[in-house]
Amino acid sequence: MKVSMTVNGQALEADVEPRWLLVHVLRDQFGLTGTNIGCDTSQCGACTVLMNDRAVKACTVLAVQADGAEILTIEGLKQDGQYHPVQQAFWDEHGLQCGFCTPGMIMTAIDLIKHEAQPNYAAIRHGIEGNLCRCTGYENIVRAIRQAADKM
Amino acid sequence: MGVLGQSIKRREDPRLITGEAKYIADIELPGMLHAAVLRSPFAHAKIKSVNVAQAKQAPGVVGVFTGADFAEIPALPCAWQAGGVKNNVNTPRILEIDEVHHTGAGVAVVVAHDRYAAEDALALIQVDYEPLPAVVDAEKATQPGAPQLHENAPNNIVFDWSCGDQAGTDQALQASEVVVKQRLINQRLIPTPMEARGAIGQYSAATDDYTLWLTSQAPHVHRLVMAAFVLGIPEHKIRCIAPQVGGGFGAKIFMYPEYPLVLVLAKRLGRPVKWIETRRENYVATTHGRDHITDIEVGATRDGVITAFKVHTFANLGGVLSTAALGIPTTLYGRLLSGPYKFPHIYCNVQGVYTNTAMVDAYRGAGRPEATYALERAIDLVARELDLDPAEVRRKNFIPPDAFPYAPADDLMAGLEYDSGNYALALDKALEMVNYKELRQEQAHARREGRYLGIGFSSYIEACGLAPSAWIGAQGWGAGLWESANVRMHLTGKVVVTTGSQSHGQGHETTLAQLVADELGIALDDVVVQHSDTQGAPFGYGTYGSRSTAVGAVAVHRSVQRIKEKAKRLAAHMLEANPEDLVYQDGKVFVRGVPAKTKTIQELAAAVALGYSLPEGMEPFFDETSYYDPPNNTYPFGTHICVVEVDAKTGQTKILRYVAIDDVGNVINPMIVDGQIHGGIAQGVSQALYEGAVYDDNGTLVSGSLMDYAVPTAAMLPSYETARTVTPSPVNPLGVKGVGETGTIASTPAVVNAVLDALKPFGVKNLDMPLTPEKVWRAMHANGGNGKEG
């Protein structure tokens, strides 16, 4: 069946099976491989994207559920050659090592700051509980999100 | 020029924060097919038959294969065996044929147009298994009547290995004023890099060449092992490429069945074949770590001087052996059991054991965390027994700074000596940072209020580099462990560095560029670092064992020195000066005392690349390759202090402070070093409090997904307070030691010792990890929970 959605500001269509996951359509049909897949039980959050302005794990959304939706992925963040403040903060604060969780972590952080403009450290730690990172021990991720919140 | 030792932002990051980086799952090749592996649900079973007829007819399926289809391909090699003893080796086949020894063993593979179709067809394969009794506990597996896994391994024993002096240690224990005994369980962990494994095989019939993209920490080693020991293909006919790799922690070092499998499938089907591991597969089919059952005996004088340390360990190695499985619980464990201490007598005996569980191999720290856990629990048990301050018992037994180089007793390090250290300095700095005296007063005060604070110590050493080659070879490793580097400065003055190390999050593209830019006195932007592709790169051993700086960076340094020497000879020729009178400084070569007679390194690079006028015998181009085999490991050290509060009502442990003083020698990039320490601490803390792989008695992995295995979230971990002392290593000219694993090695016992210190009023002397609230609560309430002094 046909689905259409706006992805990073661009109207896109795909012919999908009803069982296909949004993350597979983003990656395999639209070529947006910045959104990673880290598990098969919706724990890790590596596949987090914004759907209609809310963070969702794209492995728990069927492609058909995203019909008509606005999707923002990591590829859509950089505007006019400028990094999004959260991207910039992750770079500045060494908030990533292997980088695999990073796109999902950044999308979650954007959602977090949108809904709580000045989160404290505890709120940040709680707010990113749905995203696992195995490299950083989270310390610099928390600092990066705090720094980004100041700039947004 | 000031970039060495600076927190330069990582050059890797722009592609990672924009989604541009290409991990293995992101790679698409024309005509590519997708593979899915059928895995055994039984931990121990005979394979009576495999019927793939129906699966072959499924839509989208191109081929279905079983182990019998690849019967000519030998089982994978075990490249690191226990040194000096008999090893009873059994390893996995690319698909098992007759018998499986753990859940998750591959028995068939479907190749289809897409992964959905491949997975659908897996469900149509019928396997007739004859289940056999299973055993999952290493000690039980050695006992009479236990299920036997392999004919060549009676009582499931893989090896029986020892180090140190048994008779001397026994004698010293007998003569000791105090002897403390304890059983310690170092539970099984699942490494869980956020990117699971994957591989893409491609075959060219025209040239008879193979290309393998794979999630690898050591692409050259994968090529070597694949060529020489598995497929029998000439080494130069395989190219291995590790694309962006999403973490490894040891688990991506090894040769796994799926890697040769995609290559032979690509050849048979004439199209590229991709296999991407799911997380559930990752939990049963990728290596686990730790899993020791250890009994310690430690002798001491009444004032806390350790007189002898004796250790026996059952090391659970799984149903079949992984590539480096046997070196971890032997060389990297037993030989590290003196830690930072001047123990006069040490003996360690390890039995490696088969059980019906997933393969066990190196996981961050690899043997050294297990050794440090045994040691640091031993010190605390002695302190508790003698009612001494655990910090002072450590200090009393430290190797003093003037004793270096220091060889642990009983030739424990098999001929090597610790390079340098000042262990008391790190301890003192940690004590100062936590304000130890006042902290103890606060603890006493809190206890009177019914709040239970605990202060836990861990003083540690690490051995980085896993070299010299001759040493590690004598320890049973079947290859060398030097590292390579090539440095080329092109006509335009731009530099390309190729390293045999493999970065999967460590930041080599930044740190090695800092080193080169600083040495050559050129802009950081004029240097690029390349790695992870066997094509066009000298052979290298890869990244593990905290060796990329301790060995890899030193190879880079050597190549740069050779370029500088050549630059001086060329400048002497151009300036008509004596080469001995020339100085290399800040990117220029000039005649000492005559700064007007100068050539910049860029001018020299152009001249040597053009080759119009070179000194006699000099070849064109700055292009230097080094193979650096270090004379010793390097030995970082430090002290970590963890402060916890345990809630008596819930048994919940809260980390109030975590202070880490680490000495990793000279530092290239402090930001990256801190990041490595943070991540290491997180994994060690998580072993102490949360993680543990659980098998039921049938050998089913109960903690078989991220729903069930406790990879910690941000809310479960503390902030880390890090600081350093700097004791340069005399082993290499950079004075560097390495940092990749220190955090993991140090942190686990610091947390456990802190919790047990908090539980001191309850008389609890030992608890096995993970220290879940339930376990802690039960221990606190075992004697009625009246808080009586134990």
Side-chain angles (χ1 to χ4, degrees):
Chain A
M1 49 204 301
K2 284 239 184 297
V3 292
S4 55
M5 56 191 94
T6 307
V7 183
N8 301 332
Q10 215 187 338
L12 294 174
E13 281 191 0
D15 197 5
V16 306
E17 287 183 32
R19 62 176 177 167
W20 285 7
L21 303 174
L22 174 60
V23 69
H24 290 146
V25 171
L26 290 173
R27 290 175 52 84
D28 302 339
Q29 309 299 311
F30 301 154
L32 296 169
T33 55
T35 302
N36 294 321
I37 301 172
C39 74
D40 39 22
T41 50
S42 294
Q43 252 74 38
C44 81
C47 64
T48 304
V49 299
L50 296 190
M51 182 162 120
N52 298 330
D53 236 15
R54 287 308 313 244
V56 297
K57 293 179 177 177
C59 71
T60 39
V61 178
L62 294 166
V64 291
Q65 292 175 290
D67 191 30
E70 293 253 356
I71 306 289
L72 182 64
T73 72
I74 190 75
E75 289 94 342
L77 287 184
K78 197 174 173 187
Q79 296 288 337
D80 306 323
Q82 293 289 309
Y83 291 116
H84 186 283
V86 177
Q87 286 176 308
Q88 185 67 47
F90 269 67
W91 191 13
D92 292 345
E93 295 291 323
H94 189 29
L96 59 146
Q97 290 180 24
C98 84
F100 196 80
C101 76
T102 309
M105 197 67 88
I106 287 175
M107 301 315 288
T108 296
I110 291 171
D111 180 82
L112 172 69
I113 297 169
K114 237 176 227 171
H115 292 91
E116 187 174 355
Q118 290 296 328
N120 64 22
Y121 284 84
I124 293 169
R125 284 181 182 274
H126 178 65
I128 60 171
E129 267 187 311
N131 293 71
L132 298 177
C133 167
R134 194 60 155 167
C135 294
T136 65
Y138 299 105
E139 179 74 17
N140 290 349
I141 291 176
V142 175
R143 286 183 201 170
I145 296 172
R146 193 43 254 170
Q147 192 222 83
D150 282 338
K151 293 186 178 162
M152 278 170 71
Chain B
M1 293 289 280
V3 289
L4 198 69
Q6 300 299 312
S7 291
I8 305 285
K9 284 201 292 177
R10 296 204 320 171
R11 322 168 100 199
E12 292 83 344
D13 289 2
R15 66 177 186 264
L16 297 168
I17 58 175
T18 55
E20 228 183 79
K22 295 288 176 229
Y23 297 92
I24 190 128
D26 306 336
I27 296 171
E28 284 290 322
L29 300 175
M32 191 166 76
L33 300 170
H34 298 262
V37 176
L38 184 71
R39 298 186 182 281
S40 170
F42 292 101
H44 196 192
K46 295 242 184 255
I47 303 169
K48 310 270 281 185
S49 67
V50 186
N51 184 343
V52 299
Q54 234 185 317
K56 278 186 170 166
Q57 303 304 315
V61 169
V62 177
V64 184
F65 303 90
T66 68
D69 293 315
F70 307 112
E72 75 284 4
I73 297 171
L76 306 185
C78 179
W80 196 356
Q81 304 191 6
V85 297
K86 183 169 180 284
N87 293 271
N88 302 320
V89 173
N90 298 275
T91 55
R93 305 185 66 84
I94 65 172
L95 291 169
E96 299 302 339
I97 300 172
D98 302 317
E99 192 168 330
V100 289
H101 299 97
H102 66 95
T103 60
V107 295
V109 62
V110 174
V111 186
H113 290 295
D114 64 59
R115 184 67 182 259
Y116 280 88
E119 294 280 346
D120 287 345
L122 281 189
L124 302 174
I125 299 174
Q126 290 137 14
V127 184
D128 184 8
Y129 292 103
E130 180 191 325
L132 299 169
V135 61
V136 300
D137 177 283
E139 185 178 29
K140 286 181 187 157
T142 64
Q143 286 166 358
Q148 299 293 298
L149 271 69
H150 301 283
E151 273 177 28
N152 68 352
N155 301 315
N156 298 312
I157 298 287
V158 182
F159 62 76
D160 190 320
W161 179 93
S162 302
C163 64
D165 174 12
Q166 184 172 16
T169 304
D170 282 339
Q171 226 164 21
L173 279 171
Q174 243 164 15
S176 294
E177 292 170 6
V178 185
V179 175
V180 180
K181 296 182 187 184
Q182 183 64 52
R183 168 160 284 206
L184 300 167
I185 308 294
N186 204 299
Q187 83 274 33
R188 177 181 285 241
L189 303 178
I190 306 182
T192 322
M194 291 322 299
E195 181 206 37
R197 291 187 300 118
I200 302 170
Q202 189 177 38
Y203 174 72
S204 163
T207 59
D208 195 29
D209 283 331
Y210 298 79
T211 305
L212 178 65
W213 289 261
L214 75 170
T215 46
S216 174
Q217 298 177 223
H220 294 272
V221 176
H222 273 119
R223 177 168 80 160
L224 169 67
V225 171
M226 186 90 65
F229 300 104
V230 187
L231 295 180
I233 302 167
E235 193 175 354
H236 63 292
K237 299 299 260 181
I238 308 180
R239 175 184 178 187
C240 284
I241 304 167
Q244 195 77 44
V245 176
F249 313 113
K252 290 176 182 170
I253 304 169
F254 314 117
M255 180 57 71
Y256 289 94
E258 300 85 1
Y259 303 159
L261 182 60
V262 295
L263 279 184
V264 296
L265 289 172
K267 184 173 183 182
R268 285 202 187 190
L269 299 169
R271 292 167 69 175
V273 175
K274 180 184 203 174
W275 168 76
I276 299 298
E277 190 180 51
T278 65
R279 180 58 62 189
R280 283 167 201 263
E281 279 185 289
N282 179 257
Y283 271 23
V284 292
T286 293
T287 50
H288 295 176
R290 318 277 192 263
D291 206 344
H292 286 193
I293 300 170
T294 292
D295 290 290
I296 60 168
E297 276 181 71
V298 51
T301 64
R302 277 202 186 82
D303 55 357
V305 175
I306 309 290
T307 49
F309 189 39
K310 186 177 179 183
V311 175
H312 175 269
T313 294
F314 293 106
N316 192 335
L317 297 168
V320 282
L321 302 178
S322 171
T323 315
L326 313 190
I328 312 306
T330 53
T331 300
L332 293 185
Y333 170 68
R335 299 207 178 281
L336 276 297
L337 279 169
S338 189
Y341 304 113
K342 203 174 177 166
F343 294 164
H345 297 282
I346 305 168
Y347 176 67
C348 172
N349 173 232
V350 183
Q351 285 165 309
V353 183
Y354 286 113
T355 67
N356 296 109
T357 59
M359 295 186 285
V360 177
D361 207 317
Y363 167 55
R364 199 172 194 172
R368 292 151 293 177
E370 296 91 314
T372 305
Y373 187 72
L375 264 168
E376 290 306 281
R377 289 293 300 118
I379 297 282
D380 262 41
L381 286 161
V382 167
R384 176 75 71 94
E385 180 73 21
L386 298 169
D387 202 22
L388 296 171
D389 186 317
E392 292 317 304
V393 176
R394 283 175 173 79
R395 185 192 307 281
K396 199 166 274 184
N397 288 284
F398 276 156
I399 299 156
D402 59 6
F404 293 90
Y406 176 83
D410 301 328
D411 193 28
L412 200 67
M413 282 301 292
L416 296 184
E417 298 173 320
Y418 296 177
D419 55 352
S420 61
N422 191 340
Y423 303 149
L425 184 68
L427 172 66
D428 285 336
K429 194 162 179 171
L431 291 172
E432 193 187 309
M433 256 174 89
V434 297
N435 217 341
Y436 186 52
K437 240 185 179 170
E438 285 172 29
L439 192 59
R440 282 287 181 208
Q441 287 164 3
E442 192 185 328
Q443 179 186 40
H445 180 75
R447 269 184 198 163
R448 287 193 290 275
E449 290 179 347
R451 291 189 301 116
Y452 299 96
L453 301 190
I455 305 163
F457 292 85
S458 173
S459 296
Y460 75 96
I461 62 146
E462 183 186 355
C464 299
L466 312 186
S469 295
W471 181 77
I472 203 82
Q475 298 299 312
W477 168 243
L481 271 178
W482 39 262
E483 196 47 270
S484 68
N486 174 265
V487 179
R488 293 189 303 279
M489 190 171 212
H490 287 251
L491 187 148
T492 55
K494 309 300 179 193
V495 174
V496 180
V497 179
T498 314
T499 173
S501 307
Q502 195 288 330
S503 184
H504 42 286
Q506 292 85 346
H508 298 165
E509 290 164 45
T510 306
T511 50
L512 294 180
Q514 283 179 258
L515 174 65
V516 171
D518 187 86
E519 277 291 322
L520 287 176
I522 61 176
L524 190 63
D525 283 346
D526 287 349
V527 185
V528 69
V529 176
Q530 300 176 339
H531 55 79
S532 303
D533 186 343
T534 58
Q535 180 163 298
F539 185 96
Y541 278 101
T543 289
Y544 40 85
S546 302
R547 65 193 306 277
S548 297
T549 299
V551 190
V554 183
V556 172
H557 180 78
R558 280 202 169 184
S559 288
V560 173
Q561 297 315 310
R562 289 179 191 167
I563 287 178
K564 287 167 76 169
E565 284 310 310
K566 188 167 174 176
K568 282 203 262 185
R569 280 189 286 130
L570 178 60
H573 173 74
M574 293 168 78
L575 296 168
E576 297 179 336
N578 186 341
E580 268 110 73
D581 295 336
L582 290 183
V583 182
Y584 193 118
Q585 197 180 310
D586 297 342
K588 297 186 188 80
V589 185
F590 55 89
V591 179
R592 187 176 287 117
V594 194
K597 293 189 91 173
T598 293
K599 291 284 173 193
T600 65
I601 186 66
Q602 290 83 3
E603 288 172 319
L604 294 165
V608 77
L610 289 169
Y612 295 162
S613 170
L614 302 179
E616 202 180 326
M618 181 178 282
E619 291 177 2
F621 227 79
F622 288 144
D623 182 341
E624 297 290 343
T625 301
S626 305
Y627 296 87
Y628 171 67
D629 195 0
N632 195 353
N633 294 300
T634 54
Y635 301 84
F637 61 89
T639 290
H640 289 202
I641 300 180
C642 180
V643 185
V644 301
E645 178 166 353
V646 177
D647 186 329
K649 288 197 185 73
T650 64
Q652 184 93 31
T653 296
K654 186 176 179 201
I655 296 181
L656 303 177
R657 288 187 74 182
Y658 195 98
V659 167
I661 308 297
D662 297 283
D663 193 320
V664 299
N666 290 334
V667 166
I668 295 173
N669 185 320
M671 176 192 80
I672 287 176
V673 164
D674 279 343
Q676 288 293 313
I677 290 169
H678 291 174
I681 294 171
Q683 287 176 350
V685 166
S686 193
Q687 173 171 22
L689 296 180
Y690 309 120
E691 291 180 42
V694 179
Y695 280 92
D696 69 14
D697 289 342
N698 299 317
T700 299
L701 182 62
V702 178
S703 59
S705 81
L706 272 177
M707 280 195 290
D708 310 292
Y709 185 80
V711 172
T713 69
M716 293 158 75
L717 290 169
S719 275
Y720 322 103
E721 302 169 58
T722 60
R724 274 186 281 284
T725 61
V726 178
T727 309
S729 173
V731 170
N732 59 68
L734 295 171
V736 294
K737 290 197 167 186
V739 69
E741 296 161 296
T742 56
T744 318
I745 290 167
S747 54
T748 306
V751 178
V752 172
N753 284 339
V755 173
L756 290 168
D757 185 52
L759 299 190
K760 197 174 171 187
F762 299 86
V764 182
K765 287 183 181 158
N766 189 61
L767 283 175
D768 288 317
M769 304 179 289
L771 301 182
T772 56
E774 180 188 344
K775 202 180 281 176
V776 171
W777 187 90
R778 285 186 190 282
M780 292 173 99
H781 293 77
N783 301 317
N786 54 6
K788 70 174 175 10
E789 205 52 65

